[in-house]
Each structure stands twice: as C-alpha cells, then as structure tokens.
Amino acid sequence: MSENIKNEVLNYLKNHLYGNLASINSNDPKQPHVSTVVYVNDGFTIYFGTSLKTIKFANIEKNNNVALTIDEDVKTDWMKITGLQIEGKASPIKEEEIPSVFRIYSEKFPIIKSFPPNPDSRFIKVTPKKIWLLDYTKGFGHREYLEL
C-alpha cells in the first residue's frame, strides 16, 4: 500500500467533519439506509456517536456491514470533486474504549463536553476494509484504492 495514498486518506479524514453512513435495514434487508454522522478518527478507524434508539444502531446490531462516504460540496465544478468511499464493519465500542474515544471526540468537537449524560448514547467504531480516494483534480473519475 502506497504511503502517499495512506497519508492522503488520513489527512482527508482528519480535515472533515461529516460522513454519510449506509447500513442494511434491519427490518428489510433489501432496503439500504443512509444517515449523516459526525465522526472522528484514530488512524483509519472511524468513530461516531448515536443513540440505542436509532435505525442505524438497530441496523448495525443485525448486520455490521457498512459503507461510508466523506466528501466536499463543490457545487458545479465536477473537476474539483474529492472524497472517500469506505467499506467496512461497524460495532459498538467496548466499555474500556469509551474514555479514549470521548477524548478524541472532545478534541475535535469541544461542545461534546457540555452535553448532559445520556444512557442511550453509544459510540460506534467503523473498521474500514476497503477505501477509495477520489480526486477528480487528477482527472475525471480518478480513484485510488487501499485495502486494509
């Protein structure tokens, strides 16, 4: 795996805030579900918060295969499209991981420190297996691939 591509992906993850998470609908496996998530990363591992009561949480509990996109809104100039397309596995983090994930989250999003405790809140970990780095500034449709 090219160190340059790895560094570009890690830099992209670090410098963006939102992703679109696709999961398999737990009530209808033929129907995908997508939701916006606010994420942080530790290397290639991605974390986001959610509630036990969300559709995405129920979906991940039943089928942990997910896809995630992170990209730029470039309006009308398609030649400036950049982004990540990620496929991987998602799971609630373990109890002992909460302090370190909360620290990473609060460094990127300090407002989280002011949120009242919520017993329904959970952090989800996405472990990427495949990542495509899109960069149309290098040519229309340009993608580079990482397998982790």
Side-chain angles (χ1 to χ4, degrees):
M1 156 173 19
S2 163
E3 285 301 311
N4 188 40
I5 296 170
K6 284 172 59 174
N7 290 335
E8 285 184 58
V9 169
L10 292 171
N11 189 49
Y12 205 92
L13 286 169
K14 176 184 168 191
N15 290 302
H16 290 81
L17 307 174
Y18 307 104
N20 301 297
L21 180 84
S23 56
I24 306 300
N25 192 305
S26 58
N27 293 319
D28 180 0
K30 293 180 182 178
Q31 181 62 50
H33 174 79
V34 68
S35 30
T36 301
V37 295
V38 178
Y39 76 89
V40 297
N41 67 294
D42 183 12
F44 293 105
T45 304
I46 299 164
Y47 300 94
F48 64 89
T50 193
S51 168
L52 292 170
K53 298 176 182 178
T54 62
I55 293 170
K56 67 181 161 280
F57 189 85
N59 293 350
I60 290 166
E61 288 259 281
K62 191 163 184 179
N63 182 336
N64 69 346
N65 292 305
V66 296
L68 181 71
T69 61
I70 300 165
D71 50 42
E72 298 282 339
D73 185 354
V74 294
K75 306 292 181 221
T76 59
D77 192 347
W78 290 358
M79 296 311 293
K80 292 183 180 175
I81 291 173
T82 60
L84 299 176
Q85 297 170 324
I86 301 166
E87 294 177 1
K89 303 285 185 181
S91 60
I93 66 169
K94 297 179 177 142
E95 186 83 24
E96 61 269 16
E97 295 175 281
I98 293 172
S100 64
V101 173
F102 187 82
R103 180 187 49 76
I104 296 166
Y105 234 99
S106 62
E107 287 171 2
K108 191 170 182 179
F109 303 104
I111 193 169
I112 196 173
K113 294 178 199 172
S114 67
F115 289 179
N118 182 341
D120 293 334
S121 292
R122 295 294 183 274
F123 284 118
I124 303 293
K125 171 171 54 176
V126 176
T127 305
K129 302 296 181 195
K130 299 176 182 179
I131 301 175
W132 290 266
L133 173 66
L134 285 67
D135 189 349
Y136 286 21
T137 66
K138 296 178 180 177
F140 188 75
H142 180 86
R143 296 182 345 152
E144 297 180 62
Y145 175 70
L146 288 177
E147 188 162 350
L148 303 173

Short mmCIF file of all heavy atoms in Angstrom, two decimals, residues 9 13 20-24 44-46 48 63-70 83-91 125-134 143-148:
data_model
loop_
_atom_site.label_atom_id
_atom_site.label_comp_id
_atom_site.label_asym_id
_atom_site.label_seq_id
_atom_site.Cartn_x
_atom_site.Cartn_y
_atom_site.Cartn_z
N VAL A 9 -5.35 9.76 2.63
CA VAL A 9 -6.60 9.31 3.27
C VAL A 9 -6.67 9.80 4.71
O VAL A 9 -7.68 10.35 5.15
CB VAL A 9 -6.74 7.77 3.20
CG1 VAL A 9 -7.88 7.29 4.09
CG2 VAL A 9 -6.95 7.31 1.76
N LEU A 13 -9.47 12.34 6.30
CA LEU A 13 -10.29 12.02 7.47
C LEU A 13 -10.14 13.09 8.55
O LEU A 13 -11.13 13.52 9.15
CB LEU A 13 -9.88 10.66 8.04
CG LEU A 13 -10.32 9.42 7.26
CD1 LEU A 13 -9.62 8.19 7.80
CD2 LEU A 13 -11.83 9.28 7.30
N ASN A 20 -21.54 10.15 5.39
CA ASN A 20 -22.84 9.54 5.11
C ASN A 20 -22.67 8.04 5.27
O ASN A 20 -21.92 7.41 4.50
CB ASN A 20 -23.27 9.89 3.68
CG ASN A 20 -23.36 11.39 3.49
OD1 ASN A 20 -24.15 12.04 4.13
ND2 ASN A 20 -22.50 11.93 2.64
N LEU A 21 -23.33 7.50 6.28
CA LEU A 21 -23.19 6.09 6.62
C LEU A 21 -24.34 5.29 6.03
O LEU A 21 -25.51 5.59 6.32
CB LEU A 21 -23.18 5.91 8.14
CG LEU A 21 -23.04 4.46 8.59
CD1 LEU A 21 -21.57 4.07 8.62
CD2 LEU A 21 -23.69 4.24 9.93
N ALA A 22 -24.02 4.30 5.24
CA ALA A 22 -25.03 3.39 4.69
C ALA A 22 -24.97 2.08 5.44
O ALA A 22 -23.89 1.53 5.68
CB ALA A 22 -24.78 3.16 3.20
N SER A 23 -26.14 1.60 5.84
CA SER A 23 -26.25 0.32 6.53
C SER A 23 -27.41 -0.45 5.91
O SER A 23 -28.18 0.09 5.13
CB SER A 23 -26.46 0.53 8.04
OG SER A 23 -27.59 1.33 8.29
N ILE A 24 -27.51 -1.72 6.29
CA ILE A 24 -28.58 -2.57 5.77
C ILE A 24 -29.76 -2.50 6.73
O ILE A 24 -29.61 -2.74 7.93
CB ILE A 24 -28.11 -4.04 5.65
CG1 ILE A 24 -26.82 -4.14 4.83
CG2 ILE A 24 -29.21 -4.92 5.08
CD1 ILE A 24 -26.92 -3.63 3.42
N PHE A 44 -7.01 4.92 10.71
CA PHE A 44 -8.08 4.59 9.77
C PHE A 44 -9.39 4.23 10.46
O PHE A 44 -10.43 4.13 9.81
CB PHE A 44 -7.64 3.44 8.86
CG PHE A 44 -6.52 3.81 7.94
CD1 PHE A 44 -5.24 3.35 8.19
CD2 PHE A 44 -6.73 4.62 6.84
CE1 PHE A 44 -4.19 3.69 7.35
CE2 PHE A 44 -5.70 4.98 6.00
CZ PHE A 44 -4.42 4.51 6.25
N THR A 45 -9.38 4.01 11.76
CA THR A 45 -10.59 3.67 12.50
C THR A 45 -11.43 4.92 12.70
O THR A 45 -10.93 5.96 13.11
CB THR A 45 -10.25 3.03 13.85
OG1 THR A 45 -9.39 1.90 13.63
CG2 THR A 45 -11.50 2.59 14.59
N ILE A 46 -12.72 4.80 12.40
CA ILE A 46 -13.65 5.92 12.45
C ILE A 46 -14.66 5.66 13.56
O ILE A 46 -15.14 4.53 13.73
CB ILE A 46 -14.36 6.06 11.08
CG1 ILE A 46 -13.32 6.35 9.99
CG2 ILE A 46 -15.44 7.14 11.13
CD1 ILE A 46 -13.82 6.12 8.59
N PHE A 48 -18.27 7.32 15.57
CA PHE A 48 -19.35 8.30 15.61
C PHE A 48 -20.27 7.94 16.76
O PHE A 48 -20.29 6.81 17.25
CB PHE A 48 -20.11 8.38 14.27
CG PHE A 48 -20.85 7.12 13.90
CD1 PHE A 48 -22.16 6.91 14.31
CD2 PHE A 48 -20.24 6.16 13.11
CE1 PHE A 48 -22.84 5.76 13.97
CE2 PHE A 48 -20.91 5.00 12.75
CZ PHE A 48 -22.22 4.80 13.18
N ASN A 63 -26.67 -6.40 11.25
CA ASN A 63 -25.74 -6.65 10.15
C ASN A 63 -24.69 -5.54 10.19
O ASN A 63 -25.00 -4.38 9.93
CB ASN A 63 -26.49 -6.64 8.81
CG ASN A 63 -25.59 -6.94 7.63
OD1 ASN A 63 -24.38 -6.75 7.66
ND2 ASN A 63 -26.21 -7.41 6.55
N ASN A 64 -23.46 -5.89 10.51
CA ASN A 64 -22.45 -4.87 10.74
C ASN A 64 -21.71 -4.40 9.49
O ASN A 64 -20.76 -3.64 9.57
CB ASN A 64 -21.45 -5.31 11.81
CG ASN A 64 -20.56 -6.45 11.36
OD1 ASN A 64 -20.80 -7.10 10.36
ND2 ASN A 64 -19.52 -6.70 12.12
N ASN A 65 -22.14 -4.83 8.32
CA ASN A 65 -21.56 -4.34 7.07
C ASN A 65 -22.07 -2.93 6.80
O ASN A 65 -23.28 -2.70 6.78
CB ASN A 65 -21.92 -5.25 5.90
CG ASN A 65 -21.27 -6.59 6.01
OD1 ASN A 65 -20.06 -6.70 6.13
ND2 ASN A 65 -22.08 -7.64 5.99
N VAL A 66 -21.13 -2.00 6.60
CA VAL A 66 -21.49 -0.61 6.34
C VAL A 66 -20.63 -0.04 5.21
O VAL A 66 -19.58 -0.59 4.87
CB VAL A 66 -21.33 0.29 7.59
CG1 VAL A 66 -22.28 -0.15 8.70
CG2 VAL A 66 -19.89 0.32 8.08
N ALA A 67 -21.09 1.08 4.67
CA ALA A 67 -20.31 1.88 3.73
C ALA A 67 -20.42 3.32 4.21
O ALA A 67 -21.42 3.71 4.83
CB ALA A 67 -20.84 1.72 2.31
N LEU A 68 -19.39 4.09 3.94
CA LEU A 68 -19.33 5.47 4.41
C LEU A 68 -18.71 6.32 3.31
O LEU A 68 -17.73 5.90 2.70
CB LEU A 68 -18.48 5.53 5.68
CG LEU A 68 -18.29 6.86 6.38
CD1 LEU A 68 -19.57 7.29 7.07
CD2 LEU A 68 -17.17 6.74 7.41
N THR A 69 -19.30 7.48 3.05
CA THR A 69 -18.68 8.45 2.15
C THR A 69 -18.40 9.72 2.92
O THR A 69 -19.14 10.10 3.82
CB THR A 69 -19.55 8.78 0.93
OG1 THR A 69 -20.78 9.35 1.36
CG2 THR A 69 -19.80 7.55 0.07
N ILE A 70 -17.29 10.34 2.56
CA ILE A 70 -16.90 11.64 3.11
C ILE A 70 -16.46 12.44 1.90
O ILE A 70 -15.63 11.96 1.11
CB ILE A 70 -15.75 11.49 4.13
CG1 ILE A 70 -16.20 10.58 5.28
CG2 ILE A 70 -15.30 12.85 4.63
CD1 ILE A 70 -15.08 10.06 6.14
N GLY A 83 -13.01 13.02 -2.31
CA GLY A 83 -13.76 12.31 -1.28
C GLY A 83 -13.20 10.94 -0.99
O GLY A 83 -12.22 10.50 -1.60
N LEU A 84 -13.85 10.30 -0.05
CA LEU A 84 -13.52 8.92 0.33
C LEU A 84 -14.76 8.07 0.20
O LEU A 84 -15.86 8.51 0.56
CB LEU A 84 -13.01 8.86 1.76
CG LEU A 84 -11.75 9.64 2.11
CD1 LEU A 84 -11.46 9.52 3.61
CD2 LEU A 84 -10.57 9.16 1.31
N GLN A 85 -14.58 6.87 -0.30
CA GLN A 85 -15.62 5.84 -0.28
C GLN A 85 -15.03 4.69 0.54
O GLN A 85 -13.94 4.21 0.23
CB GLN A 85 -15.95 5.37 -1.69
CG GLN A 85 -16.53 6.45 -2.56
CD GLN A 85 -16.64 6.02 -4.01
OE1 GLN A 85 -15.80 5.30 -4.53
NE2 GLN A 85 -17.68 6.49 -4.68
N ILE A 86 -15.75 4.30 1.58
CA ILE A 86 -15.21 3.34 2.55
C ILE A 86 -16.20 2.18 2.72
O ILE A 86 -17.40 2.42 2.84
CB ILE A 86 -14.97 4.02 3.91
CG1 ILE A 86 -13.97 5.18 3.74
CG2 ILE A 86 -14.51 3.03 4.97
CD1 ILE A 86 -13.91 6.13 4.93
N GLU A 87 -15.68 0.98 2.76
CA GLU A 87 -16.48 -0.20 3.11
C GLU A 87 -15.82 -0.85 4.32
O GLU A 87 -14.59 -0.93 4.39
CB GLU A 87 -16.52 -1.20 1.96
CG GLU A 87 -17.26 -0.71 0.75
CD GLU A 87 -17.24 -1.70 -0.40
OE1 GLU A 87 -16.65 -2.79 -0.26
OE2 GLU A 87 -17.79 -1.36 -1.46
N GLY A 88 -16.64 -1.29 5.26
CA GLY A 88 -16.06 -1.92 6.44
C GLY A 88 -17.10 -2.52 7.35
O GLY A 88 -18.24 -2.78 6.95
N LYS A 89 -16.68 -2.72 8.58
CA LYS A 89 -17.52 -3.32 9.62
C LYS A 89 -17.72 -2.31 10.75
O LYS A 89 -16.79 -1.60 11.12
CB LYS A 89 -16.85 -4.57 10.20
CG LYS A 89 -16.52 -5.64 9.19
CD LYS A 89 -17.74 -6.38 8.75
CE LYS A 89 -17.37 -7.54 7.83
NZ LYS A 89 -18.54 -8.26 7.38
N ALA A 90 -18.92 -2.27 11.29
CA ALA A 90 -19.25 -1.35 12.39
C ALA A 90 -19.66 -2.14 13.62
O ALA A 90 -20.27 -3.21 13.51
CB ALA A 90 -20.39 -0.42 11.98
N SER A 91 -19.32 -1.58 14.79
CA SER A 91 -19.72 -2.23 16.04
C SER A 91 -19.68 -1.21 17.17
O SER A 91 -18.87 -0.27 17.13
CB SER A 91 -18.81 -3.40 16.37
OG SER A 91 -17.47 -2.96 16.51
N LYS A 125 -17.78 2.10 16.29
CA LYS A 125 -16.48 2.05 15.63
C LYS A 125 -16.67 1.45 14.24
O LYS A 125 -17.32 0.41 14.09
CB LYS A 125 -15.52 1.18 16.45
CG LYS A 125 -14.22 0.88 15.74
CD LYS A 125 -13.16 0.21 16.59
CE LYS A 125 -13.57 -1.02 17.28
NZ LYS A 125 -12.48 -1.69 18.02
N VAL A 126 -16.12 2.11 13.23
CA VAL A 126 -16.11 1.56 11.88
C VAL A 126 -14.67 1.19 11.56
O VAL A 126 -13.77 2.03 11.61
CB VAL A 126 -16.64 2.58 10.84
CG1 VAL A 126 -16.51 2.02 9.43
CG2 VAL A 126 -18.08 2.96 11.14
N THR A 127 -14.48 -0.09 11.27
CA THR A 127 -13.17 -0.59 10.88
C THR A 127 -13.18 -0.77 9.37
O THR A 127 -13.81 -1.70 8.85
CB THR A 127 -12.87 -1.93 11.58
OG1 THR A 127 -13.01 -1.75 12.99
CG2 THR A 127 -11.48 -2.43 11.25
N PRO A 128 -12.51 0.15 8.65
CA PRO A 128 -12.51 0.05 7.18
C PRO A 128 -11.76 -1.17 6.69
O PRO A 128 -10.75 -1.58 7.26
CB PRO A 128 -11.78 1.33 6.74
CG PRO A 128 -11.85 2.25 7.91
CD PRO A 128 -11.84 1.35 9.12
N LYS A 129 -12.28 -1.75 5.63
CA LYS A 129 -11.61 -2.86 4.94
C LYS A 129 -11.11 -2.40 3.58
O LYS A 129 -10.07 -2.83 3.11
CB LYS A 129 -12.57 -4.05 4.76
CG LYS A 129 -13.14 -4.59 6.06
CD LYS A 129 -12.06 -5.16 6.93
CE LYS A 129 -12.65 -5.71 8.22
NZ LYS A 129 -11.66 -5.94 9.23
N LYS A 130 -11.89 -1.53 2.92
CA LYS A 130 -11.56 -1.01 1.59
C LYS A 130 -11.82 0.49 1.59
O LYS A 130 -12.84 0.95 2.11
CB LYS A 130 -12.42 -1.67 0.52
CG LYS A 130 -12.24 -3.16 0.42
CD LYS A 130 -13.19 -3.74 -0.60
CE LYS A 130 -13.06 -5.26 -0.67
NZ LYS A 130 -14.00 -5.83 -1.65
N ILE A 131 -10.89 1.25 0.99
CA ILE A 131 -11.06 2.70 0.88
C ILE A 131 -10.68 3.12 -0.54
O ILE A 131 -9.64 2.70 -1.05
CB ILE A 131 -10.18 3.46 1.89
CG1 ILE A 131 -10.52 3.05 3.33
CG2 ILE A 131 -10.32 4.97 1.70
CD1 ILE A 131 -9.62 3.69 4.38
N TRP A 132 -11.54 3.93 -1.13
CA TRP A 132 -11.22 4.54 -2.41
C TRP A 132 -11.08 6.04 -2.17
O TRP A 132 -11.95 6.67 -1.57
CB TRP A 132 -12.34 4.31 -3.43
CG TRP A 132 -12.43 2.89 -3.87
CD1 TRP A 132 -11.85 2.33 -4.97
CD2 TRP A 132 -13.17 1.85 -3.24
NE1 TRP A 132 -12.17 1.01 -5.05
CE2 TRP A 132 -12.99 0.68 -3.99
CE3 TRP A 132 -13.97 1.78 -2.09
CZ2 TRP A 132 -13.57 -0.54 -3.65
CZ3 TRP A 132 -14.55 0.58 -1.75
CH2 TRP A 132 -14.34 -0.57 -2.53
N LEU A 133 -9.98 6.61 -2.62
CA LEU A 133 -9.71 8.03 -2.54
C LEU A 133 -10.05 8.64 -3.90
O LEU A 133 -9.44 8.29 -4.91
CB LEU A 133 -8.23 8.27 -2.20
CG LEU A 133 -7.71 9.69 -2.23
CD1 LEU A 133 -8.38 10.54 -1.14
CD2 LEU A 133 -6.20 9.71 -2.06
N LEU A 134 -11.05 9.52 -3.92
CA LEU A 134 -11.45 10.19 -5.15
C LEU A 134 -10.75 11.53 -5.24
O LEU A 134 -10.70 12.27 -4.25
CB LEU A 134 -12.96 10.45 -5.16
CG LEU A 134 -13.91 9.29 -5.40
CD1 LEU A 134 -13.89 8.31 -4.27
CD2 LEU A 134 -15.30 9.82 -5.63
N ARG A 143 -9.66 7.61 -9.13
CA ARG A 143 -9.78 6.96 -7.82
C ARG A 143 -8.53 6.15 -7.55
O ARG A 143 -7.98 5.54 -8.46
CB ARG A 143 -10.98 6.03 -7.76
CG ARG A 143 -12.29 6.70 -7.91
CD ARG A 143 -13.53 5.84 -7.82
NE ARG A 143 -13.41 4.40 -7.90
CZ ARG A 143 -14.24 3.56 -7.32
NH1 ARG A 143 -15.25 3.99 -6.60
NH2 ARG A 143 -14.10 2.27 -7.45
N GLU A 144 -8.12 6.13 -6.29
CA GLU A 144 -7.02 5.27 -5.86
C GLU A 144 -7.57 4.36 -4.76
O GLU A 144 -8.45 4.76 -4.00
CB GLU A 144 -5.85 6.11 -5.37
CG GLU A 144 -5.27 6.97 -6.49
CD GLU A 144 -4.12 7.81 -6.04
OE1 GLU A 144 -3.11 7.23 -5.62
OE2 GLU A 144 -4.23 9.05 -6.13
N TYR A 145 -7.03 3.16 -4.66
CA TYR A 145 -7.61 2.12 -3.81
C TYR A 145 -6.64 1.68 -2.72
O TYR A 145 -5.45 1.51 -2.98
CB TYR A 145 -7.98 0.93 -4.70
CG TYR A 145 -8.49 -0.27 -3.96
CD1 TYR A 145 -9.73 -0.26 -3.34
CD2 TYR A 145 -7.73 -1.44 -3.89
CE1 TYR A 145 -10.19 -1.38 -2.67
CE2 TYR A 145 -8.19 -2.56 -3.22
CZ TYR A 145 -9.43 -2.52 -2.62
OH TYR A 145 -9.89 -3.62 -1.96
N LEU A 146 -7.19 1.53 -1.53
CA LEU A 146 -6.46 0.94 -0.40
C LEU A 146 -7.25 -0.23 0.13
O LEU A 146 -8.46 -0.14 0.32
CB LEU A 146 -6.35 1.94 0.77
CG LEU A 146 -5.43 3.12 0.66
CD1 LEU A 146 -5.58 3.98 1.90
CD2 LEU A 146 -4.00 2.69 0.51
N GLU A 147 -6.58 -1.33 0.40
CA GLU A 147 -7.22 -2.44 1.09
C GLU A 147 -6.49 -2.60 2.41
O GLU A 147 -5.27 -2.71 2.44
CB GLU A 147 -7.13 -3.72 0.27
CG GLU A 147 -7.95 -4.83 0.89
CD GLU A 147 -8.24 -5.96 -0.10
OE1 GLU A 147 -7.98 -5.80 -1.30
OE2 GLU A 147 -8.72 -6.99 0.37
N LEU A 148 -7.25 -2.56 3.49
CA LEU A 148 -6.65 -2.63 4.82
C LEU A 148 -6.82 -4.02 5.41
O LEU A 148 -7.69 -4.75 5.06
CB LEU A 148 -7.30 -1.60 5.74
CG LEU A 148 -7.20 -0.16 5.24
CD1 LEU A 148 -8.01 0.77 6.12
CD2 LEU A 148 -5.75 0.30 5.23
#
